[in-house]
Short mmCIF file of all heavy atoms in Angstrom, two decimals:
data_model
loop_
_atom_site.label_atom_id
_atom_site.label_comp_id
_atom_site.label_asym_id
_atom_site.label_seq_id
_atom_site.Cartn_x
_atom_site.Cartn_y
_atom_site.Cartn_z
N ALA A 1 291.34 -68.99 48.37
CA ALA A 1 292.47 -69.69 47.61
C ALA A 1 292.17 -71.04 47.48
O ALA A 1 292.28 -71.70 46.52
CB ALA A 1 293.79 -69.49 48.24
N GLU A 2 291.62 -71.65 48.60
CA GLU A 2 291.15 -73.16 48.45
C GLU A 2 290.23 -73.33 47.44
O GLU A 2 290.06 -74.28 46.69
CB GLU A 2 290.67 -73.65 49.96
CG GLU A 2 291.75 -73.74 50.90
CD GLU A 2 291.19 -73.92 52.32
OE1 GLU A 2 289.98 -73.74 52.53
OE2 GLU A 2 292.03 -74.31 53.15
N ALA A 3 289.06 -72.51 47.44
CA ALA A 3 288.08 -72.62 46.46
C ALA A 3 288.61 -72.29 44.92
O ALA A 3 288.20 -73.10 44.06
CB ALA A 3 286.89 -71.52 46.71
N ARG A 4 289.44 -71.33 44.69
CA ARG A 4 289.90 -71.03 43.46
C ARG A 4 290.86 -72.07 42.88
O ARG A 4 290.86 -72.27 41.65
CB ARG A 4 290.64 -69.76 43.41
CG ARG A 4 289.89 -68.52 43.89
CD ARG A 4 288.96 -68.11 42.69
NE ARG A 4 288.23 -66.70 43.15
CZ ARG A 4 287.07 -66.69 43.78
NH1 ARG A 4 286.48 -67.79 44.19
NH2 ARG A 4 286.58 -65.50 44.11
N LEU A 5 291.62 -72.71 43.74
CA LEU A 5 292.69 -73.64 43.31
C LEU A 5 292.36 -75.07 43.61
O LEU A 5 292.84 -75.93 42.66
CB LEU A 5 294.07 -73.29 43.96
CG LEU A 5 294.64 -71.91 43.73
CD1 LEU A 5 295.78 -71.66 44.83
CD2 LEU A 5 294.93 -71.77 42.39
N GLY A 6 291.69 -75.32 44.60
CA GLY A 6 291.48 -76.76 44.92
C GLY A 6 292.54 -77.23 45.77
O GLY A 6 293.69 -76.66 45.61
N PRO A 7 292.32 -78.16 46.63
CA PRO A 7 293.30 -78.50 47.67
C PRO A 7 294.66 -79.20 47.08
O PRO A 7 295.72 -78.95 47.60
CB PRO A 7 292.61 -79.67 48.42
CG PRO A 7 291.53 -80.16 47.66
CD PRO A 7 291.09 -78.94 46.87
N GLU A 8 294.53 -79.81 45.93
CA GLU A 8 295.63 -80.37 45.33
C GLU A 8 296.69 -79.29 44.73
O GLU A 8 297.92 -79.68 44.41
CB GLU A 8 295.40 -81.34 44.29
CG GLU A 8 294.74 -80.81 42.92
CD GLU A 8 293.35 -80.43 43.12
OE1 GLU A 8 292.64 -80.49 44.25
OE2 GLU A 8 292.76 -79.82 42.04
N ARG A 9 296.35 -78.03 44.59
CA ARG A 9 297.21 -77.05 43.95
C ARG A 9 297.61 -75.99 44.96
O ARG A 9 298.13 -74.92 44.61
CB ARG A 9 296.48 -76.43 42.83
CG ARG A 9 296.21 -77.38 41.58
CD ARG A 9 295.09 -76.89 40.62
NE ARG A 9 295.44 -75.57 40.07
CZ ARG A 9 294.64 -74.84 39.34
NH1 ARG A 9 293.39 -75.24 39.20
NH2 ARG A 9 294.97 -73.73 38.76
N LEU A 10 297.51 -76.29 46.30
CA LEU A 10 297.76 -75.27 47.18
C LEU A 10 299.37 -75.37 47.60
O LEU A 10 299.94 -74.24 48.24
CB LEU A 10 296.97 -75.38 48.47
CG LEU A 10 295.48 -75.12 48.32
CD1 LEU A 10 294.79 -75.52 49.75
CD2 LEU A 10 295.17 -73.71 47.99
N THR A 11 300.09 -76.30 47.31
CA THR A 11 301.47 -76.39 47.54
C THR A 11 302.17 -75.17 46.74
O THR A 11 301.96 -75.08 45.51
CB THR A 11 302.10 -77.76 47.13
OG1 THR A 11 301.53 -78.75 47.85
CG2 THR A 11 303.70 -77.71 47.50
N GLY A 12 302.93 -74.28 47.34
CA GLY A 12 303.55 -73.24 46.67
C GLY A 12 302.67 -72.00 46.86
O GLY A 12 302.96 -70.99 46.22
N ALA A 13 301.52 -72.07 47.62
CA ALA A 13 300.68 -70.95 47.79
C ALA A 13 301.32 -70.20 49.22
O ALA A 13 301.44 -70.78 50.17
CB ALA A 13 299.30 -71.30 48.11
N TYR A 14 301.63 -68.85 49.00
CA TYR A 14 302.08 -68.10 50.07
C TYR A 14 303.27 -68.91 50.72
O TYR A 14 303.33 -68.96 52.04
CB TYR A 14 300.92 -67.76 51.09
CG TYR A 14 299.69 -67.27 50.36
CD1 TYR A 14 298.74 -68.17 49.90
CD2 TYR A 14 299.42 -65.84 50.19
CE1 TYR A 14 297.67 -67.66 49.40
CE2 TYR A 14 298.27 -65.47 49.60
CZ TYR A 14 297.32 -66.46 49.21
OH TYR A 14 296.22 -66.02 48.57
N ALA A 15 304.23 -69.26 49.97
CA ALA A 15 305.27 -70.11 50.41
C ALA A 15 306.52 -69.43 50.99
O ALA A 15 307.51 -69.41 50.39
CB ALA A 15 305.67 -71.14 49.14
N TRP A 16 306.35 -68.71 52.07
CA TRP A 16 307.38 -67.88 52.59
C TRP A 16 308.55 -68.77 52.99
O TRP A 16 309.64 -68.48 52.56
CB TRP A 16 306.83 -67.16 53.75
CG TRP A 16 305.55 -66.56 53.52
CD1 TRP A 16 305.14 -65.81 52.50
CD2 TRP A 16 304.48 -66.52 54.54
NE1 TRP A 16 303.76 -65.28 52.71
CE2 TRP A 16 303.43 -65.76 53.97
CE3 TRP A 16 304.19 -66.97 55.89
CZ2 TRP A 16 302.18 -65.39 54.70
CZ3 TRP A 16 302.97 -66.66 56.47
CH2 TRP A 16 302.05 -66.04 55.82
N LYS A 17 308.39 -69.74 53.75
CA LYS A 17 309.45 -70.65 54.32
C LYS A 17 310.15 -71.32 53.08
O LYS A 17 311.52 -71.26 53.06
CB LYS A 17 309.05 -71.58 55.33
CG LYS A 17 310.09 -72.42 56.01
CD LYS A 17 310.91 -71.55 56.81
CE LYS A 17 311.64 -72.32 57.96
NZ LYS A 17 312.65 -73.43 57.48
N SER A 18 309.44 -71.78 52.08
CA SER A 18 310.09 -72.43 51.00
C SER A 18 310.99 -71.48 50.21
O SER A 18 312.06 -71.83 49.75
CB SER A 18 309.07 -73.06 50.11
OG SER A 18 308.33 -74.13 50.71
N LEU A 19 310.50 -70.29 50.04
CA LEU A 19 311.22 -69.35 49.29
C LEU A 19 312.59 -68.90 50.03
O LEU A 19 313.64 -68.81 49.47
CB LEU A 19 310.44 -67.99 49.06
CG LEU A 19 309.37 -68.20 47.89
CD1 LEU A 19 308.32 -67.11 47.96
CD2 LEU A 19 310.17 -68.04 46.59
N LEU A 20 312.40 -68.66 51.42
CA LEU A 20 313.54 -68.40 52.18
C LEU A 20 314.58 -69.48 52.27
O LEU A 20 315.70 -69.23 52.02
CB LEU A 20 313.10 -68.03 53.58
CG LEU A 20 312.78 -66.54 53.96
CD1 LEU A 20 312.51 -66.43 55.44
CD2 LEU A 20 313.85 -65.53 53.44
N ASP A 21 314.07 -70.81 52.39
CA ASP A 21 315.06 -71.84 52.39
C ASP A 21 315.70 -72.05 51.12
O ASP A 21 316.82 -72.59 51.06
CB ASP A 21 314.18 -73.11 52.77
CG ASP A 21 313.77 -73.14 54.23
OD1 ASP A 21 314.26 -72.38 55.05
OD2 ASP A 21 313.00 -74.01 54.71
N SER A 22 315.15 -71.58 50.01
CA SER A 22 315.68 -71.83 48.74
C SER A 22 316.96 -70.75 48.50
O SER A 22 317.54 -70.81 47.47
CB SER A 22 314.74 -71.59 47.60
OG SER A 22 314.27 -70.24 47.44
N GLY A 23 317.02 -69.84 49.39
CA GLY A 23 318.01 -68.74 49.38
C GLY A 23 317.45 -67.35 48.76
O GLY A 23 318.23 -66.46 48.50
N ALA A 24 316.17 -67.29 48.50
CA ALA A 24 315.62 -66.11 47.97
C ALA A 24 315.54 -65.00 49.01
O ALA A 24 315.36 -65.12 50.16
CB ALA A 24 314.27 -66.33 47.36
N LYS A 25 315.72 -63.71 48.61
CA LYS A 25 315.43 -62.59 49.44
C LYS A 25 313.93 -62.23 49.53
O LYS A 25 313.20 -62.47 48.60
CB LYS A 25 316.24 -61.29 48.94
CG LYS A 25 317.79 -61.54 48.75
CD LYS A 25 318.49 -61.40 50.04
CE LYS A 25 319.91 -61.40 49.98
NZ LYS A 25 320.66 -61.24 51.23
N MET A 26 313.70 -61.80 50.78
CA MET A 26 312.17 -61.64 50.82
C MET A 26 311.91 -60.31 51.57
O MET A 26 312.77 -59.86 52.54
CB MET A 26 311.52 -62.74 51.88
CG MET A 26 310.15 -62.59 51.96
SD MET A 26 309.36 -64.14 52.85
CE MET A 26 309.69 -65.33 51.51
N ALA A 27 310.88 -59.59 51.22
CA ALA A 27 310.41 -58.35 51.89
C ALA A 27 308.97 -58.48 52.11
O ALA A 27 308.19 -59.05 51.30
CB ALA A 27 310.73 -57.15 50.91
N PHE A 28 308.63 -57.91 53.38
CA PHE A 28 307.20 -58.00 53.72
C PHE A 28 306.48 -56.70 53.71
O PHE A 28 307.17 -55.63 53.97
CB PHE A 28 307.04 -58.66 55.02
CG PHE A 28 306.94 -60.22 55.13
CD1 PHE A 28 307.13 -60.76 56.34
CD2 PHE A 28 307.02 -60.89 54.06
CE1 PHE A 28 307.11 -62.18 56.37
CE2 PHE A 28 306.91 -62.23 54.00
CZ PHE A 28 307.08 -62.92 55.19
N GLY A 29 305.34 -56.55 53.31
CA GLY A 29 304.46 -55.36 53.36
C GLY A 29 303.09 -55.67 53.76
O GLY A 29 302.80 -56.80 54.07
N THR A 30 302.11 -54.70 53.45
CA THR A 30 300.71 -54.93 53.85
C THR A 30 299.86 -54.84 52.61
O THR A 30 298.74 -55.25 52.64
CB THR A 30 300.34 -53.98 54.85
OG1 THR A 30 300.45 -52.67 54.44
CG2 THR A 30 301.02 -54.14 56.06
N ASP A 31 300.38 -54.16 51.60
CA ASP A 31 299.42 -53.73 50.44
C ASP A 31 298.28 -52.85 50.80
O ASP A 31 297.24 -52.79 50.18
CB ASP A 31 298.89 -55.04 49.68
CG ASP A 31 298.39 -54.84 48.31
OD1 ASP A 31 298.73 -53.78 47.78
OD2 ASP A 31 297.71 -55.74 47.82
#
């Protein structure tokens, strides 16, 4: 992800806490 996006675009990557703090419902799995 660091290579694909570059360090300046990683905010919002796999953002579990930010989503929960915003009030979103979250479900986890493994794929």
Side-chain angles (χ1 to χ4, degrees):
E2 291 171 346
R4 297 287 186 272
L5 300 173
E8 70 281 356
R9 293 162 62 190
L10 293 176
T11 305
Y14 313 87
W16 314 318
K17 187 66 161 54
S18 294
L19 283 161
L20 274 184
D21 286 349
S22 74
K25 299 286 187 181
M26 183 172 292
F28 277 168
T30 62
D31 202 11

